[in-house]
Amino acid sequence: MLKVKLVRSMIGCNPKQRATVKALGLRKIRQEKSFEDNSVVRGMIKKVEHLVEVTES
């Protein structure tokens, strides 16, 4: 299980990165979501790794 937390603002990001964060279900800074650990989620996190913080639980 992965916990993904939005830690930086999306201001100045390109539209693809904004769409990826939105697809992860994150809207506000410090909002967290839990996901199953699979390659799809890992790829999405890799695209926006400078905006999010990931912890394994």
Side-chain angles (χ1 to χ4, degrees):
M1 205 63 153
L2 296 174
K3 279 190 177 179
V4 182
K5 180 178 181 180
L6 186 62
V7 293
R8 296 198 60 203
S9 173
M10 291 183 285
I11 295 173
C13 291
N14 65 36
K16 285 188 177 183
Q17 290 171 336
R18 287 179 193 244
T20 302
V21 172
K22 186 178 177 183
L24 286 169
L26 302 172
R27 297 183 309 144
K28 297 180 180 181
I29 295 175
R30 290 187 295 278
Q31 185 177 9
E32 289 186 11
K33 293 279 184 169
S34 296
F35 298 98
E36 293 292 326
D37 190 3
N38 60 34
S39 60
V40 175
V41 174
R42 290 275 181 175
M44 293 171 79
I45 291 169
K46 184 71 174 166
K47 292 285 186 180
V48 293
E49 65 186 349
H50 60 288
L51 300 175
V52 298
E53 183 178 276
V54 181
T55 56
E56 294 187 27
S57 59

